[in-house]
Amino acid sequence: MDARSVSLTLLFVSVVICSGDDGWSTKVQSEVRGIEGYPVVLPCTFSHPQHSQHSSLQVVWRLGHGAGATVLFRCTSRPGAPTCEAGLQQDQRYRLEGNPREHDLSLRINGVALQDSGRYYCRVEVLGREHVNFEDKMGTRLRVEAPPKILALSVEGSERSGYRALCRVQGSPLPDVQWLGPDDLLEGSLVGPLAQGSPARYHTVSQLGDVAPGQQYTCSASNPLGKEQAALYVLPPRLPPAAAATPLPLLLLLSVSLGAKVLLLVGVGVWMVQGGALQRVSCWWK
């Protein structure tokens, strides 16, 4: 399934209503699902027993809670103004989708990335009135998903120790990686993710041992949003009689992306006869 055909409808898991002792309350979604590269909206509405139409309101959105929170968006809504005014340095990926005058603080994030995943909190303040404010305490979890993407193919090793192929992939949910030989499924092994923090938690590396010249191997990465494959063909060395010491092409890497686009990447490795080592060859693309 092509990720670009996925509906942009938000996934609202549940509604969370937070109330305070002073009469403030907010309504948010506990979780919102987004697709990498598409916009998402984080809903947040509020109510207050005192009418605030004639007061200036400040809207704040944070990623995270407490002292370590990051302020992502801030704007001021003045009486009679049609929009909520943000600062000149405001990141243009963020904009207020709702109207504070209608008690709607919903935030729009354009072109979400995997690194945008996290818990977001909305806050409203009545300017000029000390301690008249309210912040959602539960937050909305944004879960960004992405189809598989093969970031790199490489071969490393030597004639003496043997060769292995490495396939580095990215995606959310984390893709399942398989290796295919000329006739059947081969047994690979995972060597990643190597870290749990973002963005490393969206990456994994699979290796295939006993890679032999003259054979083709295919790395296949898949998750519920799609599938991508890349094929690797190792050419056997050919030594001409008159130039036995001349470096010759050995490795040919062909990468074919299945989905809405097709990529063809070719990498050439060098067989070093003096020393008998296969130099590491990597093919990277974005």
Side-chain angles (χ1 to χ4, degrees):
M1 177 176 60
D2 184 359
R4 297 294 169 177
S5 65
V6 176
S7 171
L8 299 186
T9 302
L10 297 177
L11 177 64
F12 296 152
V13 176
S14 61
V15 176
V16 178
I17 300 177
C18 299
S19 299
D21 295 336
D22 54 0
W24 284 94
S25 68
T26 59
K27 182 191 295 184
V28 299
Q29 305 295 339
S30 63
E31 184 173 280
V32 173
R33 171 177 171 259
I35 304 297
E36 183 184 36
Y38 288 103
V40 295
V41 174
L42 306 181
C44 176
T45 58
F46 74 96
S47 62
H48 189 267
Q50 299 179 4
H51 202 276
S52 57
Q53 289 293 335
H54 301 293
S55 301
S56 293
L57 303 176
Q58 181 167 259
V59 179
V60 180
W61 275 89
R62 292 183 173 91
L63 175 60
H65 196 59
T70 301
V71 175
L72 299 176
F73 180 84
R74 189 194 304 270
C75 70
T76 301
S77 176
R78 307 186 187 282
T83 60
C84 194
E85 301 173 5
L88 295 178
Q89 303 302 318
Q90 176 62 53
D91 187 338
Q92 296 304 304
R93 284 205 311 137
Y94 305 97
R95 82 176 191 202
L96 203 64
E97 186 78 358
N99 184 350
R101 295 297 154 189
E102 298 176 356
H103 294 181
D104 190 347
L105 312 178
S106 300
L107 180 71
R108 178 187 177 96
I109 307 176
N110 290 316
V112 292
L114 288 172
Q115 293 73 25
D116 291 322
S117 296
R119 191 167 293 277
Y120 292 73
Y121 298 84
C122 61
R123 177 183 177 89
V124 60
E125 304 170 354
V126 179
L127 298 181
R129 302 178 63 182
E130 189 175 2
H131 305 305
V132 182
N133 57 68
F134 189 76
E135 179 173 322
D136 159 49
K137 298 300 189 297
M138 300 299 295
T140 296
R141 181 194 175 201
L142 173 60
R143 188 180 75 217
V144 180
E145 299 182 351
K149 181 186 297 184
I150 297 179
L151 302 176
L153 272 178
S154 63
V155 175
E156 59 184 35
S158 66
E159 185 177 15
R160 174 175 297 180
S161 64
Y163 304 114
R164 64 172 184 163
L166 298 175
C167 184
R168 182 184 178 196
V169 303
Q170 171 185 283
S172 178
L174 203 62
D176 176 57
V177 182
Q178 294 182 322
W179 289 94
L180 305 173
D183 302 314
D184 53 7
L185 184 67
L186 301 176
E187 186 68 29
S189 60
L190 292 179
V191 293
L194 303 179
Q196 296 302 317
S198 181
R201 58 179 171 167
Y202 304 112
H203 294 180
T204 188
V205 180
S206 178
Q207 70 174 0
L208 179 67
D210 299 324
V211 173
Q215 298 294 327
Q216 177 174 301
Y217 306 94
T218 299
C219 174
S220 177
S222 61
N223 71 9
L225 294 181
K227 180 178 182 180
E228 183 163 282
Q229 292 184 338
L232 177 148
Y233 183 75
V234 184
L235 292 176
R238 294 177 299 169
L239 300 179
T246 303
L248 294 173
L250 171 69
L251 184 64
L252 180 63
L253 297 180
L254 298 178
S255 170
V256 179
S257 174
L258 303 182
K261 59 183 179 179
V262 176
L263 304 179
L264 179 62
L265 302 177
V266 178
V268 178
V270 178
W271 175 256
M272 302 299 294
V273 177
Q274 297 177 345
L278 174 66
Q279 303 299 315
R280 180 176 180 176
V281 180
S282 298
C283 178
W284 295 81
W285 62 96
K286 296 182 180 179

PDB file of all heavy atoms in Angstrom, residues 126-157:
ATOM      1  N   VAL A 126      -4.894  34.701  30.173  1.00  0.00           N
ATOM      2  CA  VAL A 126      -5.582  35.966  29.999  1.00  0.00           C
ATOM      3  C   VAL A 126      -4.594  37.069  30.392  1.00  0.00           C
ATOM      4  O   VAL A 126      -4.215  37.180  31.566  1.00  0.00           O
ATOM      5  CB  VAL A 126      -6.857  36.044  30.863  1.00  0.00           C
ATOM      6  CG1 VAL A 126      -7.535  37.405  30.681  1.00  0.00           C
ATOM      7  CG2 VAL A 126      -7.805  34.923  30.502  1.00  0.00           C
ATOM      8  N   LEU A 127      -4.136  37.839  29.405  1.00  0.00           N
ATOM      9  CA  LEU A 127      -3.117  38.852  29.651  1.00  0.00           C
ATOM     10  C   LEU A 127      -3.691  39.994  30.484  1.00  0.00           C
ATOM     11  O   LEU A 127      -4.855  40.381  30.328  1.00  0.00           O
ATOM     12  CB  LEU A 127      -2.579  39.392  28.327  1.00  0.00           C
ATOM     13  CG  LEU A 127      -1.875  38.361  27.430  1.00  0.00           C
ATOM     14  CD1 LEU A 127      -1.366  39.018  26.156  1.00  0.00           C
ATOM     15  CD2 LEU A 127      -0.723  37.686  28.171  1.00  0.00           C
ATOM     16  N   GLY A 128      -2.848  40.520  31.373  1.00  0.00           N
ATOM     17  CA  GLY A 128      -3.264  41.621  32.227  1.00  0.00           C
ATOM     18  C   GLY A 128      -3.980  41.179  33.483  1.00  0.00           C
ATOM     19  O   GLY A 128      -4.334  42.022  34.320  1.00  0.00           O
ATOM     20  N   ARG A 129      -4.208  39.873  33.615  1.00  0.00           N
ATOM     21  CA  ARG A 129      -4.880  39.358  34.808  1.00  0.00           C
ATOM     22  C   ARG A 129      -4.004  38.254  35.401  1.00  0.00           C
ATOM     23  O   ARG A 129      -3.915  37.157  34.866  1.00  0.00           O
ATOM     24  CB  ARG A 129      -6.276  38.833  34.479  1.00  0.00           C
ATOM     25  CG  ARG A 129      -7.177  39.896  33.850  1.00  0.00           C
ATOM     26  CD  ARG A 129      -8.534  39.345  33.493  1.00  0.00           C
ATOM     27  NE  ARG A 129      -9.262  38.888  34.673  1.00  0.00           N
ATOM     28  CZ  ARG A 129     -10.479  38.324  34.622  1.00  0.00           C
ATOM     29  NH1 ARG A 129     -11.068  38.148  33.448  1.00  0.00           N
ATOM     30  NH2 ARG A 129     -11.082  37.942  35.728  1.00  0.00           N
ATOM     31  N   GLU A 130      -3.332  38.584  36.470  1.00  0.00           N
ATOM     32  CA  GLU A 130      -2.349  37.680  37.051  1.00  0.00           C
ATOM     33  C   GLU A 130      -2.992  36.368  37.502  1.00  0.00           C
ATOM     34  O   GLU A 130      -4.060  36.349  38.108  1.00  0.00           O
ATOM     35  CB  GLU A 130      -1.673  38.362  38.238  1.00  0.00           C
ATOM     36  CG  GLU A 130      -0.475  37.600  38.785  1.00  0.00           C
ATOM     37  CD  GLU A 130       0.234  38.371  39.886  1.00  0.00           C
ATOM     38  OE1 GLU A 130      -0.236  39.469  40.229  1.00  0.00           O
ATOM     39  OE2 GLU A 130       1.242  37.853  40.382  1.00  0.00           O
ATOM     40  N   HIS A 131      -2.317  35.290  37.154  1.00  0.00           N
ATOM     41  CA  HIS A 131      -2.711  33.932  37.555  1.00  0.00           C
ATOM     42  C   HIS A 131      -4.022  33.466  36.921  1.00  0.00           C
ATOM     43  O   HIS A 131      -4.607  32.482  37.378  1.00  0.00           O
ATOM     44  CB  HIS A 131      -2.818  33.817  39.071  1.00  0.00           C
ATOM     45  CG  HIS A 131      -1.587  34.220  39.808  1.00  0.00           C
ATOM     46  ND1 HIS A 131      -0.353  33.659  39.545  1.00  0.00           N
ATOM     47  CD2 HIS A 131      -1.400  35.156  40.782  1.00  0.00           C
ATOM     48  CE1 HIS A 131       0.553  34.212  40.335  1.00  0.00           C
ATOM     49  NE2 HIS A 131      -0.051  35.128  41.085  1.00  0.00           N
ATOM     50  N   VAL A 132      -4.481  34.170  35.870  1.00  0.00           N
ATOM     51  CA  VAL A 132      -5.673  33.696  35.167  1.00  0.00           C
ATOM     52  C   VAL A 132      -5.198  32.927  33.939  1.00  0.00           C
ATOM     53  O   VAL A 132      -4.966  33.507  32.868  1.00  0.00           O
ATOM     54  CB  VAL A 132      -6.610  34.860  34.789  1.00  0.00           C
ATOM     55  CG1 VAL A 132      -7.863  34.320  34.088  1.00  0.00           C
ATOM     56  CG2 VAL A 132      -7.000  35.641  36.028  1.00  0.00           C
ATOM     57  N   ASN A 133      -5.002  31.644  34.086  1.00  0.00           N
ATOM     58  CA  ASN A 133      -4.496  30.807  32.997  1.00  0.00           C
ATOM     59  C   ASN A 133      -4.828  29.356  33.306  1.00  0.00           C
ATOM     60  O   ASN A 133      -5.198  29.014  34.430  1.00  0.00           O
ATOM     61  CB  ASN A 133      -2.980  30.997  32.815  1.00  0.00           C
ATOM     62  CG  ASN A 133      -2.210  30.708  34.096  1.00  0.00           C
ATOM     63  OD1 ASN A 133      -2.143  29.567  34.550  1.00  0.00           O
ATOM     64  ND2 ASN A 133      -1.647  31.756  34.705  1.00  0.00           N
ATOM     65  N   PHE A 134      -4.680  28.541  32.283  1.00  0.00           N
ATOM     66  CA  PHE A 134      -4.931  27.115  32.484  1.00  0.00           C
ATOM     67  C   PHE A 134      -4.147  26.328  31.445  1.00  0.00           C
ATOM     68  O   PHE A 134      -4.069  26.718  30.279  1.00  0.00           O
ATOM     69  CB  PHE A 134      -6.413  26.782  32.353  1.00  0.00           C
ATOM     70  CG  PHE A 134      -6.731  25.370  32.758  1.00  0.00           C
ATOM     71  CD1 PHE A 134      -6.770  25.018  34.100  1.00  0.00           C
ATOM     72  CD2 PHE A 134      -6.986  24.399  31.813  1.00  0.00           C
ATOM     73  CE1 PHE A 134      -7.061  23.709  34.484  1.00  0.00           C
ATOM     74  CE2 PHE A 134      -7.275  23.095  32.187  1.00  0.00           C
ATOM     75  CZ  PHE A 134      -7.315  22.756  33.537  1.00  0.00           C
ATOM     76  N   GLU A 135      -3.552  25.230  31.871  1.00  0.00           N
ATOM     77  CA  GLU A 135      -2.796  24.347  30.979  1.00  0.00           C
ATOM     78  C   GLU A 135      -3.314  22.925  31.109  1.00  0.00           C
ATOM     79  O   GLU A 135      -3.547  22.441  32.220  1.00  0.00           O
ATOM     80  CB  GLU A 135      -1.308  24.395  31.308  1.00  0.00           C
ATOM     81  CG  GLU A 135      -0.472  23.472  30.424  1.00  0.00           C
ATOM     82  CD  GLU A 135       1.021  23.635  30.638  1.00  0.00           C
ATOM     83  OE1 GLU A 135       1.451  24.792  30.844  1.00  0.00           O
ATOM     84  OE2 GLU A 135       1.734  22.625  30.604  1.00  0.00           O
ATOM     85  N   ASP A 136      -3.500  22.293  29.966  1.00  0.00           N
ATOM     86  CA  ASP A 136      -3.893  20.886  29.949  1.00  0.00           C
ATOM     87  C   ASP A 136      -2.826  20.058  30.639  1.00  0.00           C
ATOM     88  O   ASP A 136      -1.639  20.195  30.366  1.00  0.00           O
ATOM     89  CB  ASP A 136      -4.078  20.451  28.487  1.00  0.00           C
ATOM     90  CG  ASP A 136      -3.986  18.950  28.323  1.00  0.00           C
ATOM     91  OD1 ASP A 136      -4.653  18.242  29.086  1.00  0.00           O
ATOM     92  OD2 ASP A 136      -3.251  18.508  27.428  1.00  0.00           O
ATOM     93  N   LYS A 137      -3.242  19.205  31.559  1.00  0.00           N
ATOM     94  CA  LYS A 137      -2.288  18.395  32.326  1.00  0.00           C
ATOM     95  C   LYS A 137      -2.059  17.016  31.733  1.00  0.00           C
ATOM     96  O   LYS A 137      -1.065  16.360  32.032  1.00  0.00           O
ATOM     97  CB  LYS A 137      -2.785  18.251  33.768  1.00  0.00           C
ATOM     98  CG  LYS A 137      -2.904  19.566  34.531  1.00  0.00           C
ATOM     99  CD  LYS A 137      -1.564  20.267  34.633  1.00  0.00           C
ATOM    100  CE  LYS A 137      -1.629  21.454  35.585  1.00  0.00           C
ATOM    101  NZ  LYS A 137      -2.562  22.510  35.107  1.00  0.00           N
ATOM    102  N   MET A 138      -2.972  16.547  30.890  1.00  0.00           N
ATOM    103  CA  MET A 138      -2.837  15.206  30.337  1.00  0.00           C
ATOM    104  C   MET A 138      -2.008  15.187  29.059  1.00  0.00           C
ATOM    105  O   MET A 138      -1.212  14.275  28.823  1.00  0.00           O
ATOM    106  CB  MET A 138      -4.214  14.614  30.062  1.00  0.00           C
ATOM    107  CG  MET A 138      -5.093  14.493  31.301  1.00  0.00           C
ATOM    108  SD  MET A 138      -4.390  13.414  32.558  1.00  0.00           S
ATOM    109  CE  MET A 138      -4.422  11.849  31.694  1.00  0.00           C
ATOM    110  N   GLY A 139      -2.203  16.179  28.204  1.00  0.00           N
ATOM    111  CA  GLY A 139      -1.452  16.246  26.957  1.00  0.00           C
ATOM    112  C   GLY A 139      -2.022  15.345  25.871  1.00  0.00           C
ATOM    113  O   GLY A 139      -2.860  14.468  26.120  1.00  0.00           O
ATOM    114  N   THR A 140      -1.553  15.583  24.659  1.00  0.00           N
ATOM    115  CA  THR A 140      -1.935  14.778  23.497  1.00  0.00           C
ATOM    116  C   THR A 140      -0.689  14.106  22.938  1.00  0.00           C
ATOM    117  O   THR A 140       0.292  14.785  22.614  1.00  0.00           O
ATOM    118  CB  THR A 140      -2.577  15.653  22.405  1.00  0.00           C
ATOM    119  OG1 THR A 140      -3.785  16.213  22.896  1.00  0.00           O
ATOM    120  CG2 THR A 140      -2.875  14.837  21.154  1.00  0.00           C
ATOM    121  N   ARG A 141      -0.734  12.809  22.829  1.00  0.00           N
ATOM    122  CA  ARG A 141       0.400  12.090  22.261  1.00  0.00           C
ATOM    123  C   ARG A 141       0.288  12.087  20.736  1.00  0.00           C
ATOM    124  O   ARG A 141      -0.712  11.622  20.183  1.00  0.00           O
ATOM    125  CB  ARG A 141       0.444  10.652  22.761  1.00  0.00           C
ATOM    126  CG  ARG A 141       1.645   9.877  22.195  1.00  0.00           C
ATOM    127  CD  ARG A 141       1.485   8.394  22.408  1.00  0.00           C
ATOM    128  NE  ARG A 141       2.562   7.642  21.771  1.00  0.00           N
ATOM    129  CZ  ARG A 141       2.489   6.361  21.455  1.00  0.00           C
ATOM    130  NH1 ARG A 141       1.392   5.680  21.700  1.00  0.00           N
ATOM    131  NH2 ARG A 141       3.496   5.752  20.874  1.00  0.00           N
ATOM    132  N   LEU A 142       1.304  12.618  20.069  1.00  0.00           N
ATOM    133  CA  LEU A 142       1.366  12.565  18.614  1.00  0.00           C
ATOM    134  C   LEU A 142       2.228  11.374  18.214  1.00  0.00           C
ATOM    135  O   LEU A 142       3.397  11.284  18.602  1.00  0.00           O
ATOM    136  CB  LEU A 142       1.964  13.856  18.043  1.00  0.00           C
ATOM    137  CG  LEU A 142       2.237  13.862  16.537  1.00  0.00           C
ATOM    138  CD1 LEU A 142       0.955  13.634  15.748  1.00  0.00           C
ATOM    139  CD2 LEU A 142       2.908  15.166  16.112  1.00  0.00           C
ATOM    140  N   ARG A 143       1.639  10.466  17.446  1.00  0.00           N
ATOM    141  CA  ARG A 143       2.359   9.282  16.970  1.00  0.00           C
ATOM    142  C   ARG A 143       2.518   9.403  15.463  1.00  0.00           C
ATOM    143  O   ARG A 143       1.558   9.267  14.714  1.00  0.00           O
ATOM    144  CB  ARG A 143       1.592   8.012  17.328  1.00  0.00           C
ATOM    145  CG  ARG A 143       2.378   6.731  17.032  1.00  0.00           C
ATOM    146  CD  ARG A 143       1.576   5.511  17.401  1.00  0.00           C
ATOM    147  NE  ARG A 143       0.516   5.234  16.454  1.00  0.00           N
ATOM    148  CZ  ARG A 143      -0.676   4.778  16.785  1.00  0.00           C
ATOM    149  NH1 ARG A 143      -0.988   4.610  18.049  1.00  0.00           N
ATOM    150  NH2 ARG A 143      -1.585   4.518  15.870  1.00  0.00           N
ATOM    151  N   VAL A 144       3.744   9.680  15.031  1.00  0.00           N
ATOM    152  CA  VAL A 144       4.030   9.828  13.603  1.00  0.00           C
ATOM    153  C   VAL A 144       4.495   8.485  13.058  1.00  0.00           C
ATOM    154  O   VAL A 144       5.388   7.846  13.620  1.00  0.00           O
ATOM    155  CB  VAL A 144       5.107  10.903  13.353  1.00  0.00           C
ATOM    156  CG1 VAL A 144       5.378  11.045  11.860  1.00  0.00           C
ATOM    157  CG2 VAL A 144       4.668  12.245  13.938  1.00  0.00           C
ATOM    158  N   GLU A 145       3.881   8.057  11.951  1.00  0.00           N
ATOM    159  CA  GLU A 145       4.252   6.806  11.302  1.00  0.00           C
ATOM    160  C   GLU A 145       4.824   7.098   9.925  1.00  0.00           C
ATOM    161  O   GLU A 145       4.548   8.141   9.327  1.00  0.00           O
ATOM    162  CB  GLU A 145       3.037   5.883  11.206  1.00  0.00           C
ATOM    163  CG  GLU A 145       2.465   5.510  12.570  1.00  0.00           C
ATOM    164  CD  GLU A 145       1.289   4.555  12.474  1.00  0.00           C
ATOM    165  OE1 GLU A 145       0.812   4.310  11.347  1.00  0.00           O
ATOM    166  OE2 GLU A 145       0.853   4.055  13.531  1.00  0.00           O
ATOM    167  N   ALA A 146       5.634   6.171   9.426  1.00  0.00           N
ATOM    168  CA  ALA A 146       6.285   6.367   8.128  1.00  0.00           C
ATOM    169  C   ALA A 146       6.482   5.023   7.446  1.00  0.00           C
ATOM    170  O   ALA A 146       6.768   4.014   8.111  1.00  0.00           O
ATOM    171  CB  ALA A 146       7.637   7.055   8.305  1.00  0.00           C
ATOM    172  N   PRO A 147       6.340   4.977   6.120  1.00  0.00           N
ATOM    173  CA  PRO A 147       6.591   3.730   5.390  1.00  0.00           C
ATOM    174  C   PRO A 147       8.079   3.393   5.423  1.00  0.00           C
ATOM    175  O   PRO A 147       8.915   4.261   5.720  1.00  0.00           O
ATOM    176  CB  PRO A 147       6.130   4.052   3.965  1.00  0.00           C
ATOM    177  CG  PRO A 147       6.271   5.532   3.856  1.00  0.00           C
ATOM    178  CD  PRO A 147       5.957   6.083   5.211  1.00  0.00           C
ATOM    179  N   PRO A 148       8.446   2.158   5.114  1.00  0.00           N
ATOM    180  CA  PRO A 148       9.865   1.776   5.142  1.00  0.00           C
ATOM    181  C   PRO A 148      10.676   2.553   4.109  1.00  0.00           C
ATOM    182  O   PRO A 148      10.197   2.864   3.014  1.00  0.00           O
ATOM    183  CB  PRO A 148       9.836   0.279   4.793  1.00  0.00           C
ATOM    184  CG  PRO A 148       8.437  -0.158   5.042  1.00  0.00           C
ATOM    185  CD  PRO A 148       7.572   1.030   4.753  1.00  0.00           C
ATOM    186  N   LYS A 149      11.894   2.849   4.489  1.00  0.00           N
ATOM    187  CA  LYS A 149      12.844   3.483   3.573  1.00  0.00           C
ATOM    188  C   LYS A 149      14.207   2.826   3.793  1.00  0.00           C
ATOM    189  O   LYS A 149      14.716   2.788   4.918  1.00  0.00           O
ATOM    190  CB  LYS A 149      12.938   4.985   3.841  1.00  0.00           C
ATOM    191  CG  LYS A 149      13.891   5.711   2.902  1.00  0.00           C
ATOM    192  CD  LYS A 149      14.046   7.179   3.317  1.00  0.00           C
ATOM    193  CE  LYS A 149      12.733   7.904   3.196  1.00  0.00           C
ATOM    194  NZ  LYS A 149      12.891   9.365   3.515  1.00  0.00           N
ATOM    195  N   ILE A 150      14.787   2.293   2.721  1.00  0.00           N
ATOM    196  CA  ILE A 150      16.121   1.702   2.813  1.00  0.00           C
ATOM    197  C   ILE A 150      17.135   2.826   2.672  1.00  0.00           C
ATOM    198  O   ILE A 150      17.239   3.461   1.629  1.00  0.00           O
ATOM    199  CB  ILE A 150      16.333   0.620   1.738  1.00  0.00           C
ATOM    200  CG1 ILE A 150      15.345  -0.532   1.967  1.00  0.00           C
ATOM    201  CG2 ILE A 150      17.770   0.099   1.768  1.00  0.00           C
ATOM    202  CD1 ILE A 150      15.449  -1.651   0.949  1.00  0.00           C
ATOM    203  N   LEU A 151      17.872   3.083   3.738  1.00  0.00           N
ATOM    204  CA  LEU A 151      18.809   4.200   3.769  1.00  0.00           C
ATOM    205  C   LEU A 151      20.157   3.847   3.165  1.00  0.00           C
ATOM    206  O   LEU A 151      20.823   4.715   2.599  1.00  0.00           O
ATOM    207  CB  LEU A 151      19.004   4.673   5.215  1.00  0.00           C
ATOM    208  CG  LEU A 151      17.740   5.113   5.954  1.00  0.00           C
ATOM    209  CD1 LEU A 151      18.077   5.465   7.402  1.00  0.00           C
ATOM    210  CD2 LEU A 151      17.082   6.286   5.243  1.00  0.00           C
ATOM    211  N   ALA A 152      20.574   2.602   3.281  1.00  0.00           N
ATOM    212  CA  ALA A 152      21.908   2.233   2.789  1.00  0.00           C
ATOM    213  C   ALA A 152      22.034   0.731   2.625  1.00  0.00           C
ATOM    214  O   ALA A 152      21.445  -0.048   3.375  1.00  0.00           O
ATOM    215  CB  ALA A 152      22.988   2.734   3.748  1.00  0.00           C
ATOM    216  N   LEU A 153      22.806   0.342   1.617  1.00  0.00           N
ATOM    217  CA  LEU A 153      23.258  -1.037   1.428  1.00  0.00           C
ATOM    218  C   LEU A 153      24.774  -1.013   1.388  1.00  0.00           C
ATOM    219  O   LEU A 153      25.358  -0.131   0.760  1.00  0.00           O
ATOM    220  CB  LEU A 153      22.739  -1.606   0.114  1.00  0.00           C
ATOM    221  CG  LEU A 153      21.369  -2.288   0.092  1.00  0.00           C
ATOM    222  CD1 LEU A 153      21.056  -2.731  -1.321  1.00  0.00           C
ATOM    223  CD2 LEU A 153      21.333  -3.456   1.044  1.00  0.00           C
ATOM    224  N   SER A 154      25.392  -1.973   2.033  1.00  0.00           N
ATOM    225  CA  SER A 154      26.851  -2.018   1.999  1.00  0.00           C
ATOM    226  C   SER A 154      27.327  -3.454   2.116  1.00  0.00           C
ATOM    227  O   SER A 154      26.603  -4.337   2.590  1.00  0.00           O
ATOM    228  CB  SER A 154      27.456  -1.172   3.125  1.00  0.00           C
ATOM    229  OG  SER A 154      27.087  -1.690   4.386  1.00  0.00           O
ATOM    230  N   VAL A 155      28.552  -3.689   1.653  1.00  0.00           N
ATOM    231  CA  VAL A 155      29.205  -4.988   1.776  1.00  0.00           C
ATOM    232  C   VAL A 155      30.556  -4.749   2.415  1.00  0.00           C
ATOM    233  O   VAL A 155      31.284  -3.826   2.039  1.00  0.00           O
ATOM    234  CB  VAL A 155      29.384  -5.671   0.406  1.00  0.00           C
ATOM    235  CG1 VAL A 155      30.170  -6.968   0.555  1.00  0.00           C
ATOM    236  CG2 VAL A 155      28.030  -5.945  -0.225  1.00  0.00           C
ATOM    237  N   GLU A 156      30.875  -5.561   3.402  1.00  0.00           N
ATOM    238  CA  GLU A 156      32.178  -5.420   4.050  1.00  0.00           C
ATOM    239  C   GLU A 156      32.757  -6.798   4.345  1.00  0.00           C
ATOM    240  O   GLU A 156      32.043  -7.806   4.326  1.00  0.00           O
ATOM    241  CB  GLU A 156      32.058  -4.593   5.330  1.00  0.00           C
ATOM    242  CG  GLU A 156      31.123  -5.154   6.362  1.00  0.00           C
ATOM    243  CD  GLU A 156      30.982  -4.243   7.563  1.00  0.00           C
ATOM    244  OE1 GLU A 156      31.016  -3.007   7.396  1.00  0.00           O
ATOM    245  OE2 GLU A 156      30.834  -4.774   8.670  1.00  0.00           O
ATOM    246  N   GLY A 157      34.064  -6.814   4.608  1.00  0.00           N
ATOM    247  CA  GLY A 157      34.754  -8.068   4.874  1.00  0.00           C
ATOM    248  C   GLY A 157      35.937  -8.247   3.943  1.00  0.00           C
ATOM    249  O   GLY A 157      36.388  -7.312   3.272  1.00  0.00           O
TER     250      GLY A 157
END
